[in-house]
Amino acid sequence: MKIIKDVEKIEVLRSVPIFSQFNEEELRNLARIAKLSLYEKGKWFFGKDDVGAYLFVIQKGLARVIVEGEDAREVTLSILQKGNFFGEMSILDGKPRSAAVVAQEDCEALVIARDNFLKFIKQYPTLGIKILGILCQRLRKTDQQVETLAFFRAEQKIADVLLKLKEEYGKKTEEGLLLDIKLTHSEIASLAGMTRETSNRVFSRFIKRGWIKRMGKKIMLLDQIALYKEIQKGRR
């Protein structure tokens, strides 16, 4: 079992926006109630409708938030990386999980039990206000995803996924904007809420048009304006 010192936990917690303004004493108190857990690629942090007993903070690796449709096809709601936290909804209301989270690659996460976290919020009520702000942001993002899945055509869905990924993973290069995250065609299809076959066809069209380029398992955005214009077709 990997052992992690409180000073290492503090550095991870400090990278989380809602904890970044805490002083050393507050971060130290939070670190004391956080335990390190390891999740191998493909392992579930929790499933939909599971009891919400823990809050998670990613220390290393990537994870996916997913829901499953009636046809058993998975839709990825978001990709989580170092510094992202999840599980807060069930922590606050005590109800079952509304989505599942699975490790996309080997992950390390700090885990905080619900009872301990609620005590911590009572001690530091400003944290509760910050979490409400995060929940509002995520609700707005979910509303946008519902609009995309309901009204956008396949081309617009893929363009929307690519431009949203650039916000967190985009790195400027001389050739274009590199999405610095490894994604398979199946994972991209899941993010867009479509089959892999449809996603592959759209990718081929975008590549032929010179909008994007495959760099192994990463993607280079060559024409962001064209992708943006494609999205706008769905909003007319």
Side-chain angles (χ1 to χ4, degrees), residues 4 15 63 74 96 100 125 147 161 165 170 178 187 236:
I4 181 172
S15 71
E74 289 183 354
E147 176 191 8
V161 165
L165 286 171
L178 177 68
E187 289 165 345
R236 292 173 184 170

Side-chain angles (χ1 to χ4, degrees), residues 135-154:
L135 287 174
C136 289
Q137 291 176 16
R138 293 182 177 179
L139 181 58
R140 291 179 191 278
K141 182 179 178 181
T142 300
D143 289 342
Q144 291 173 353
Q145 286 178 306
V146 169
E147 176 191 8
T148 298
L149 293 173
F151 302 111
F152 282 15
R153 292 184 291 104

Side-chain angles (χ1 to χ4, degrees), residues 21-32:
Q21 301 302 313
F22 278 25
N23 60 39
E24 287 299 315
E25 180 182 355
E26 293 166 339
L27 287 171
R28 191 160 51 247
N29 289 338
L30 184 58
R32 288 195 185 109

